[in-house]
Amino acid sequence: KTLKEALEYRIKQSEASDGSSSSSPPKAPKLVETVRTDKDVNKIIYGPLTLASSPGHSMEIWCDTDGNDGKMEMAKTGDGNDNGVCVVLGAGNQSFLSIIDTFHCIFSQRYPVILKHHPLRPYCEAPVRLLLEPLIKRGYLQQIPDCGVEATQTHILGNPLIQHVHVTGAWTTAQAIEKTLAKARPSLQPSEIHSMVTTELGGVGPF
């Protein structure tokens, strides 16, 4: 079986076990069933949720209130989204990181994504194409192979449609990306260029 077929099989099994179907409305995640507002710290707190994989442990998510009193809303989308395009420069150490970064940029940051796989992991293109087919079909994701440093700088990072870059790599790589963006957009201030780049360097998560 292909990975896609295996995933479809597991989804059907899950629907059969809980009595749900693809036509029924999605259930709210258990994490958001319990929500409270702590006015002393001006935070909305979701949870706690027991972690099945870690008996005896639970988790909470603390969020800024932003005046919404704990009401959760989906981010607005539409054809008028002018966020530009995000480039995800895939990690070389763990293949799953590229998928996590892609999900974050699409669903949280509302960017369509160009995913360039690390030169050590060209084989990731095929399984990612199967796993993320719904996003690819809808135009939210496009994969490209590694084309070398010079071509990446000129044809990808130098494109004015690129509004955000995420990279997993060395600090010198992040600096080189900022220099390339600054050269392609001389009208932008250094602080604006700096805000266009998120990095995961040595375990320091950007999100």
Side-chain angles (χ1 to χ4, degrees):
K1 289 185 177 181
T2 66
L3 289 174
K4 183 182 176 184
E5 289 172 334
L7 285 172
E8 289 175 343
Y9 174 74
R10 292 296 298 273
I11 291 171
K12 289 179 181 178
Q13 274 194 322
S14 176
E15 289 175 347
S17 64
D18 64 13
S20 64
S21 66
S22 57
S23 60
S24 60
K27 296 181 179 179
K30 288 186 177 180
L31 183 63
V32 302
E33 290 180 355
T34 303
V35 58
R36 65 189 189 277
T37 301
D38 190 325
K39 295 184 178 179
D40 292 334
V41 293
N42 200 30
K43 300 291 182 183
I44 299 170
I45 305 171
Y46 297 95
L49 178 67
T50 301
L51 300 178
S53 58
S54 302
H57 294 80
S58 61
M59 65 170 286
E60 294 179 337
I61 294 181
W62 289 45
C63 307
D64 291 331
T65 58
D66 292 329
N68 64 8
D69 297 326
K71 296 178 181 178
M72 179 172 286
E73 296 181 359
M74 293 294 292
K76 293 179 173 60
T77 60
D79 295 335
N81 189 340
D82 58 356
N83 283 344
V85 178
C86 174
V87 173
V88 173
L89 302 176
N93 55 340
Q94 298 288 348
S95 57
F96 71 88
L97 291 177
S98 298
I99 295 180
I100 293 175
D101 295 337
T102 295
F103 281 166
H104 178 86
C105 292
I106 291 176
F107 295 113
S108 295
Q109 301 298 319
R110 318 309 296 175
Y111 285 113
V113 168
I114 295 175
L115 171 59
K116 186 187 82 65
H117 293 286
H118 192 278
L120 294 177
R121 299 184 176 275
Y123 53 84
C124 289
E125 190 277 335
V128 169
R129 176 164 32 87
L130 289 169
L131 291 169
L132 306 188
E133 181 185 21
L135 295 175
I136 295 172
K137 279 186 174 182
R138 289 165 174 79
Y140 296 123
L141 172 63
Q142 180 177 343
Q143 299 184 90
I144 56 175
D146 178 70
C147 51
V149 174
E150 184 176 348
T152 299
Q153 290 177 328
T154 304
H155 301 300
I156 302 174
L157 300 182
N159 191 308
L161 291 176
I162 303 304
Q163 295 298 313
H164 194 87
V165 180
H166 175 72
V167 58
T168 299
W171 172 239
T172 52
T173 303
Q175 289 179 311
I177 290 171
E178 290 190 14
K179 288 180 180 178
T180 300
L181 293 172
K183 184 178 179 181
R185 298 169 177 78
S187 62
L188 296 182
Q189 297 297 318
S191 59
E192 294 176 297
I193 294 294
H194 187 68
S195 68
M196 292 172 62
V197 182
T198 52
T199 58
E200 193 274 301
L201 310 172
V204 181
F207 307 127

